Amino acid sequence: MGTAVSFSRPPQPRSGDSGLTGQGEEGDGPRVPRRRRWWLLGLAVVLAAVVAYGNYALIAGQDERVDVLVLTRDVGWGQRIGEGDLGVAKAVPDQRLASISASDRAGVVGQVARSTLPAGTVLAPGQLTAQPVPGPGERLVGLPVKPGHLPARGLAPGDLVQVTPVASGTGTDASQSTASTAGPFRARVLGVGPPDSTGAVTVDVLVGADTAQAASSAAAGQVVLVQLGPGA
């Protein structure tokens, strides 16, 4: 009698036992959650805050600017400010350099420049005066000056000059005598007229009451103008 052999299938692991054996099928293992990079998000927030603050500071700085008066063309010393001489520009208020507000435009028109002011100058109260030209005790005299009797570079309003009368080669004997006997005197240039056909110009000068007679006598003849420096 032969021996009977029985075949039995090995026990299959249950689905619940795969975690115990640690050998689950591919794709059935536990998923590891990704780590979010929170520091990148924080950095982005900080950068956005910095940009927003910079824009705010820029806009706030622009809003602090005010309308001020500026010159649209050159104005000489002693010249009255006209409506067409004024323009408006934006400027940041500066306590060290006072400016004139555009709202005070009406009060500036008619004022006199205390020095030669170039175009683009931001006007300040100290640059203007209500004192007319000529002022009290002053006289305005026009002196005819031949070519070569004044500096080749010309004269500008406000220049201090010494006026020396010279004998004229033409004219009556009386005018020659008057011009030759008048002594030199000092004057302040107010303006220079255009040259005539001979190249001569008329120079308007301001003199004091004590030299008004000498200036009138010199105007009848020929004069030489010498520009004087500061402190002369």
Side-chain angles (χ1 to χ4, degrees):
M1 175 185 262
T3 304
V5 180
S6 63
F7 295 89
S8 61
R9 298 180 60 184
Q12 298 292 331
R14 292 175 300 179
S15 59
D17 296 339
S18 58
L20 299 177
T21 60
Q23 295 181 355
E25 294 183 0
E26 184 178 358
D28 295 338
R31 295 182 179 180
V32 179
R34 295 182 179 178
R35 294 183 179 178
R36 296 182 179 180
R37 299 181 178 179
W38 295 104
W39 65 273
L40 287 178
L41 182 58
L43 180 61
V45 172
V46 172
L47 290 177
V50 171
V51 172
Y53 178 78
N55 292 334
Y56 169 78
L58 179 61
I59 296 175
Q62 292 178 346
D63 291 341
E64 290 178 357
R65 298 184 303 172
V66 296
D67 291 335
V68 297
L69 292 177
V70 297
L71 290 177
T72 57
R73 52 192 174 193
D74 297 342
V75 175
W77 168 80
Q79 180 179 339
R80 288 187 179 275
I81 305 295
E83 182 70 29
D85 299 326
L86 299 176
V88 178
K90 291 284 188 179
V92 177
D94 191 340
Q95 296 180 353
R96 297 171 299 175
L97 179 62
S99 56
I100 301 178
S101 173
S103 61
D104 297 331
R105 187 188 192 102
V108 172
V109 175
Q111 294 281 313
V112 177
R114 300 182 63 179
S115 62
T116 298
L117 304 173
T121 299
V122 178
L123 289 178
Q127 297 171 329
L128 306 175
T129 178
Q131 182 68 48
V133 176
E138 294 181 329
R139 303 291 187 271
L140 177 61
V141 181
L143 301 176
V145 184
K146 295 174 57 177
H149 286 192
L150 76 167
R153 59 180 291 182
L155 295 171
D159 288 343
L160 179 64
V161 296
Q162 177 174 290
V163 182
T164 304
V166 296
S168 175
T170 60
T172 63
D173 294 340
S175 64
Q176 293 180 16
S177 175
T178 301
S180 60
T181 57
F185 58 92
R186 294 186 177 187
R188 184 77 64 178
V189 176
L190 180 61
V192 180
D196 60 15
S197 58
T198 65
V201 296
T202 298
V203 181
D204 291 340
V205 297
L206 291 172
V207 297
D210 54 340
T211 57
Q213 183 61 44
S216 299
S217 300
Q222 295 294 330
V223 296
V224 174
L225 301 186
V226 178
Q227 184 177 0
L228 303 176

